[in-house]
Amino acid sequence: KEEAVILTPKPSPKPRINSARVFGVRPGSPVLYTIAASGQRPLWFSAENLPEGLTLNRETGQITGKLAKRGEHKITMVATNDLGEARKELRLVVGDTIALTPPMGWNSWNCWACAVDDKKIRDAADAMIKSGLINHGYQYVNIDDCWMVRLNSDDPVVGGPRRDEAGRLLTNKRFPDMKALTDYIHAKGLKAGIYTSPGPFTCAGFAGAYQHEAHDAKQFADWGFDLLKYDWCSYGDVVQGKQDLDTLKKPYILMGGILKKQDRDILLNLCQYGMGDVWKWGAEVGGQSWRTAGDLGFELDRIFEVALKNAEHRDYSRPGSWNDPDYLQIGYIGDASTGGHPKPCPITPSEQYAFMSLWCLMASPLFYSGDMGRLDEFTLNVLCNPEVIDVNQDALGQCAKVLPLGDEQFAMVKDLEDGSRAVGLFNRGELATDVAVKWSDLKLPEPKRVRDLWRHKDLDGAVTQFSAKLPRHAGVLLRLWAK
Ligand code: GLA
């Protein structure tokens, strides 16, 4: 058993802006952009060239307002504390494409399953601030399944009528006031996500949107949600198991179209486990991300397999269009069968670093789905390494290319906006092994600088090649700047 090695150095007390360089919003949609910055507190924010219609809160870094006109704004974000100042340019694009970088946040499913309630969601929002996750760009707080009424249940808490007389979807008693909940989340500079199914019931047997799609989408917008996960589930029964492309696309075309008409931006996450090569048409039907496979679930020994499969769809990864290999499950996690009794994840520290490295190289949505109330130092260090997250949030939106280095070793190379490249080297084998690679074998030009992103260290002597002993199921993540 390996030791828990903390590879990441202590965060610098000097200010650093961690937000992505690009942000998309539709004309007229309410803007809520929170400048993510690390460094010693108190920290103050300012912005140069902020367009008219937007205002910045100097203490929280929240930019709010509305922009009616299409176009691009170059804003300089500034974060200052007693030790200095950090500046970064933000390209704010008012247009049709949203989610210009992979969405980041938390989802309730792999922590609480059906034991989710209003308080747990509020606690997760509080923890996102307190733990500092928000300072690294994590923003969405998403309710997964089980917030609506359970079908055929006489439990007074989750049973009852599914809709009111006007056809409006009802929550179960664990969610007494959705609007108050999203207000609470938004006030913290965070965004709120919700879940339903195009079928009559969800995967866990709660009321779905079938034949009430327009009503429900309007309800989500009125409640103030910013993201919808739309999970196939019982829709399979509606179409009697048919899986031709038209059938697979139909419910997503319907919901995608309805969401675009709402008065706020609502990201659409397609969850249909990759059927019909969803990566080929997910964006066209109005989605910003789509699960490329079934649930990663508790089978965390499948991380490498799932990642390599997901990376096959790299051509479909670009700003506004993301392949989703499922959630980050480290720290304390639960699953549906334990009904919300999270316990420590079963994977080693090396596997956790590899997990995060792979997800960042693939430009995957970064949704943590463990217990926000029990984020220990090690878990936070895996989730919040700013140089690693920069690879995920890079504005090019590229998914790395996989290059095999042997039976059980492989490299991943991702082009970044500034012309540099992120390079991951992985050992998915059961034994520790030496991994050696010449940059020329990866078709990379000779670098002038090579940096270890987990350790925040420039490496001397890696001019033409790199070698390291990698434990089982481990990786290194480097960044190379060409001469
Ligand atoms: C499916 C999804 C999961 C989760 C559950 C909820 O299995 O793939 O991510 O949303 O449904 O029931």
Side-chain angles (χ1 to χ4, degrees):
K1 192 108 175 96
E2 276 172 279
E3 297 289 304
V5 225
I6 298 199
L7 294 177
T8 305
K10 284 256 173 295
S12 163
K14 289 194 187 141
R16 183 191 199 274
I17 297 182
N18 299 319
S19 303
R21 286 186 181 280
V22 287
F23 179 68
V25 62
R26 293 200 184 104
S29 170
V31 173
L32 174 56
Y33 180 89
T34 302
I35 303 175
S38 41
Q40 180 184 295
R41 264 47 194 180
L43 199 69
W44 294 274
F45 296 94
S46 59
E48 292 164 12
N49 302 322
L50 198 65
E52 211 175 303
L54 298 184
T55 51
L56 166 78
N57 180 314
R58 280 181 48 83
E59 274 168 44
T60 60
Q62 290 174 30
I63 298 175
T64 50
K66 267 184 199 175
L67 295 169
K69 270 198 11 223
R70 289 167 182 275
E72 270 191 38
H73 303 274
K74 287 202 166 103
I75 301 165
T76 305
M77 307 179 278
V78 187
T80 315
N81 68 12
D82 287 347
L83 301 168
E85 174 191 278
R87 305 168 77 84
K88 191 169 183 178
E89 189 180 85
L90 168 68
R91 197 156 56 82
L92 180 72
V93 190
V94 188
D96 295 319
T97 315
I98 52 177
L100 294 179
T101 59
M104 296 174 68
W106 174 80
N107 173 287
S108 61
W109 184 249
N110 293 107
C111 178
W112 303 120
C114 278
V116 65
D117 61 23
D118 178 279
K119 175 158 193 314
K120 289 188 173 111
I121 299 295
R122 285 174 193 246
D123 287 351
D126 293 348
M128 202 169 271
I129 311 291
K130 199 166 159 239
S131 65
L133 280 176
I134 189 176
N135 303 332
H136 293 274
Y138 292 89
Q139 197 180 22
Y140 288 86
V141 177
N142 294 351
I143 311 169
D144 205 274
D145 205 344
C146 312
W147 59 267
M148 38 326 234
V149 166
R150 191 198 283 276
L151 268 57
N152 310 319
S153 165
D154 41 25
D155 177 337
V157 177
V158 294
R162 293 179 226 176
R163 294 175 182 276
D164 68 9
E165 275 155 22
R168 273 190 302 256
L169 187 63
L170 298 171
T171 59
N172 65 40
K173 305 235 163 25
R174 294 187 176 134
F175 288 91
D177 188 342
M178 281 296 198
K179 181 70 175 71
L181 179 55
T182 65
D183 284 349
Y184 183 86
I185 293 171
H186 290 150
K188 294 177 182 283
L190 301 171
K191 294 190 173 182
I194 196 157
Y195 164 105
T196 191
S197 169
F201 49 93
T202 66
C203 292
F206 288 68
Y210 185 54
Q211 293 182 330
H212 296 272
E213 295 82 359
H215 249 130
D216 290 0
K218 170 84 171 43
Q219 179 74 82
F220 300 151
D222 289 350
W223 277 337
F225 283 100
D226 308 290
L227 178 149
L228 173 67
K229 173 174 170 183
Y230 207 36
D231 195 349
W232 180 263
C233 304
S234 67
Y235 194 80
D237 300 340
V238 173
V239 296
Q240 290 153 348
K242 275 199 282 179
Q243 292 213 356
D244 59 282
L245 265 186
D246 286 345
T247 305
L248 292 175
K249 284 183 183 176
K250 194 175 162 199
Y252 293 100
I253 291 178
L254 178 64
M255 186 50 89
I258 297 171
L259 287 182
K260 271 188 206 151
K261 292 196 203 113
Q262 304 308 312
D263 58 6
R264 58 187 301 112
D265 289 343
I266 302 179
L267 302 193
L268 177 59
N269 172 222
L270 278 59
C271 180
Q272 46 83 287
Y273 338 115
M275 290 183 292
D277 294 353
V278 63
W279 41 90
K280 294 184 181 157
W281 48 267
E284 148 204 329
V285 302
Q288 281 73 37
S289 62
W290 36 85
R291 281 267 300 281
T292 53
D295 291 23
L296 177 57
F298 240 21
E299 299 156 37
L300 297 181
D301 51 340
R302 288 173 51 234
I303 291 167
F304 286 100
E305 180 196 321
V306 166
L308 288 169
K309 197 78 207 140
N310 185 72
E312 285 175 14
H313 319 309
R314 64 184 295 268
D315 290 351
Y316 304 93
S317 173
R318 59 178 165 273
S321 154
W322 310 109
N323 294 310
D324 174 5
D326 213 352
Y327 304 130
L328 293 167
Q329 297 182 62
I330 62 174
Y332 279 75
I333 53 175
D335 74 358
S337 64
T338 62
H341 297 285
K343 45 183 195 296
C345 75
I347 56 177
T348 65
S350 294
E351 287 171 320
Q352 298 184 47
Y353 286 117
F355 198 164
M356 185 72 182
S357 305
L358 290 162
W359 263 233
C360 289
L361 283 160
M362 294 190 298
S364 309
L366 289 184
F367 283 97
Y368 179 59
S369 191
D371 188 347
M372 293 287 284
R374 278 194 281 187
L375 285 163
D376 56 28
E377 192 189 5
F378 179 77
T379 307
L380 280 171
N381 134 73
V382 175
L383 292 175
C384 294
N385 184 316
E387 297 191 23
V388 172
I389 291 177
D390 283 349
V391 173
N392 178 268
Q393 292 291 301
D394 186 75
L396 283 188
Q398 197 184 81
C399 168
K401 185 192 279 171
V402 177
L403 300 142
L405 296 174
D407 287 348
E408 316 242 64
Q409 292 84 42
F410 63 94
M412 285 178 96
V413 179
K414 172 174 171 157
D415 294 344
L416 302 173
E417 194 195 20
D418 70 349
S420 67
R421 284 158 183 112
V423 177
L425 300 170
F426 297 94
N427 169 27
R428 62 180 299 206
E430 289 304 320
L431 299 172
T433 184
D434 290 315
V435 175
V437 61
K438 280 199 203 119
W439 303 130
S440 57
D441 292 345
L442 301 180
K443 309 223 165 17
L444 293 172
E446 198 167 294
K448 66 165 188 267
R449 183 176 172 209
V450 178
R451 188 161 170 85
D452 182 325
L453 297 185
W454 281 109
R455 295 179 178 82
H456 294 179
K457 246 196 209 142
D458 282 9
L459 303 177
D460 303 326
V463 185
T464 56
Q465 54 152 29
F466 174 85
S467 62
K469 189 168 193 90
L470 292 183
R472 76 181 270 276
H473 298 185
V476 286
L477 184 60
L478 308 173
R479 185 161 175 170
L480 274 64
W481 288 265
K483 268 188 182 151

